[in-house]
Amino acid sequence: MPSIELKLSRFNRIYQPSDLLEGKIVIKSSSSISHYGIVLTLNGSVNLQVRGGSAGVIESFYGVVKPIPIVKKNIEIRTSGKIGPGTAEIPFSINLRQRGEENLERFYETFHGRNISIQYLITVDVMRGYLHKSLSATLEFIVETDKADILQRPISPEMVVFYITQDTQKHPLLPELKTGGFKVTGKVSTQCSLVDSINGELTVEASSVPIQSIDLHLLQVESILLGEKIVTETSLIQTTQIADGDVCRKMTLPIYVILPRLLTCPTVFAG
């Protein structure tokens, strides 16, 4: 049984919209293969997705909200012919965005959300007629903002001061906390580049009960505007433990969180 595989020139599969997408099509077969053409398809779109389990509020709009096309290209790599036995490597190159080319939408950064995904896929099809099943392979690559755009719009880190006391909590507390008091102060960056970490610091000023753990939760906020109604869902995507056990009081603890690339993207507003 012949097999087909797509390999990109960059091992991390990260590209900017102005880059050239280069790679090779690897076909392995024990005998020669006749085909009616090898076609490469480039697809990028913003999609609403339904995951397994109970559907959320956003997912209820799955049949209403149409995908937003970003880019779609078809390139014929080879016309009809034959591929000999063994391993054949066919190189290819595609411009993601050419100057003067009219794109369907601007290139949003790759994002794997709970309800919304921004994906870029490259697919190769080897057409073999009615008697044989076509050979096909699909590979996802990651799109990030052009370096030129980043230089034009430098990101200045913003630090926000926060504090947590027994009075800021909305859930029921132990009587010891209510009477004895509790106070945590700190600061954390709320605006940064995706390639940078979230930094900050935290200090337990006072706690009348022992502390078991201090964790920082990274949340993902997704919204859909449908007519005049905005539906928003927030989901947890990562937890980072800042401290384990009862920490010393008035000691400054560092906050350092690496962002999971595929689950985060710059704040995006799309049609």
Side-chain angles (χ1 to χ4, degrees):
M1 182 71 183
S3 65
I4 187 169
E5 185 184 5
L6 276 168
K7 289 185 177 180
L8 295 177
S9 58
R10 298 181 186 177
F11 72 93
N12 60 7
R13 294 181 285 133
I14 297 175
Y15 294 84
Q16 278 78 42
S18 59
D19 286 345
L20 191 68
L21 190 72
E22 293 180 296
K24 56 188 177 183
I25 303 160
V26 181
I27 301 172
K28 294 180 181 179
S29 178
S30 57
S31 59
S32 62
I33 301 171
S34 296
H35 64 86
Y36 294 93
I38 301 175
V39 177
L40 210 59
T41 304
L42 181 68
N43 257 314
S45 61
V46 184
N47 297 286
L48 201 62
Q49 58 196 14
V50 176
R51 295 188 179 276
S54 57
V57 182
I58 289 181
E59 289 176 354
S60 63
F61 295 128
Y62 179 72
V64 182
V65 180
K66 294 180 179 178
I68 299 173
I70 298 174
V71 62
K72 187 173 177 65
K73 291 183 178 182
N74 290 297
I75 296 174
E76 188 178 51
I77 302 298
R78 282 192 182 179
T79 55
S80 58
K82 274 190 176 186
I83 298 170
T87 301
E89 295 186 351
I90 305 167
F92 66 84
S93 62
I94 306 176
N95 282 300
L96 294 179
R97 179 174 60 193
Q98 288 179 317
R99 286 188 179 181
E101 188 177 48
E102 205 170 306
N103 289 303
L104 302 173
E105 279 281 348
R106 74 180 180 89
F107 278 76
Y108 305 111
E109 291 208 11
T110 296
F111 173 63
H112 289 197
R114 184 179 182 277
N115 304 286
I116 300 162
S117 68
I118 304 172
Q119 271 190 309
Y120 297 87
L121 302 171
I122 184 167
T123 302
V124 60
D125 290 294
V126 180
M127 272 73 77
R128 302 178 66 200
Y130 296 108
L131 300 176
H132 300 280
K133 188 178 179 181
S134 296
L135 296 176
S136 182
T138 299
L139 184 67
E140 180 182 11
F141 61 95
I142 299 166
V143 169
E144 291 188 346
T145 307
D146 266 323
K147 292 174 184 175
D149 294 341
I150 296 173
L151 293 174
Q152 288 172 8
R153 297 180 284 103
I155 295 171
S156 56
E158 289 185 0
M159 301 293 287
V160 169
V161 174
F162 65 87
Y163 69 94
I164 305 168
T165 69
Q166 68 274 15
D167 299 323
T168 62
Q169 306 309 297
K170 295 179 181 179
H171 61 278
L173 298 175
L174 292 171
E176 302 96 301
L177 272 177
K178 288 184 177 180
T179 56
F182 180 83
K183 187 178 182 182
V184 172
T185 60
K187 59 182 179 179
V188 68
S189 56
T190 58
Q191 179 172 298
C192 64
S193 167
L194 281 183
V195 297
D196 296 333
S197 58
I198 295 174
N199 297 308
E201 58 185 43
L202 177 145
T203 305
V204 179
E205 303 284 353
S207 177
S208 54
V209 298
I211 292 169
Q212 293 181 350
S213 179
I214 301 175
D215 304 289
L216 189 142
H217 298 300
L218 186 64
L219 302 172
Q220 188 181 80
V221 182
E222 297 170 308
S223 302
I224 286 184
L225 176 64
L226 198 62
E228 295 181 353
K229 187 179 181 182
I230 296 179
V231 178
T232 300
E233 279 192 7
T234 302
S235 52
L236 175 68
I237 59 172
Q238 179 175 283
T239 298
T240 304
Q241 189 176 46
I242 304 300
D244 182 22
D246 199 19
V247 299
C248 297
R249 307 299 182 252
K250 299 188 183 300
M251 184 177 77
T252 301
L253 304 172
I255 293 174
Y256 183 84
V257 178
I258 299 293
L259 294 170
R261 178 58 195 92
L262 289 178
L263 302 179
T264 54
C265 74
T267 300
V268 172
F269 296 93

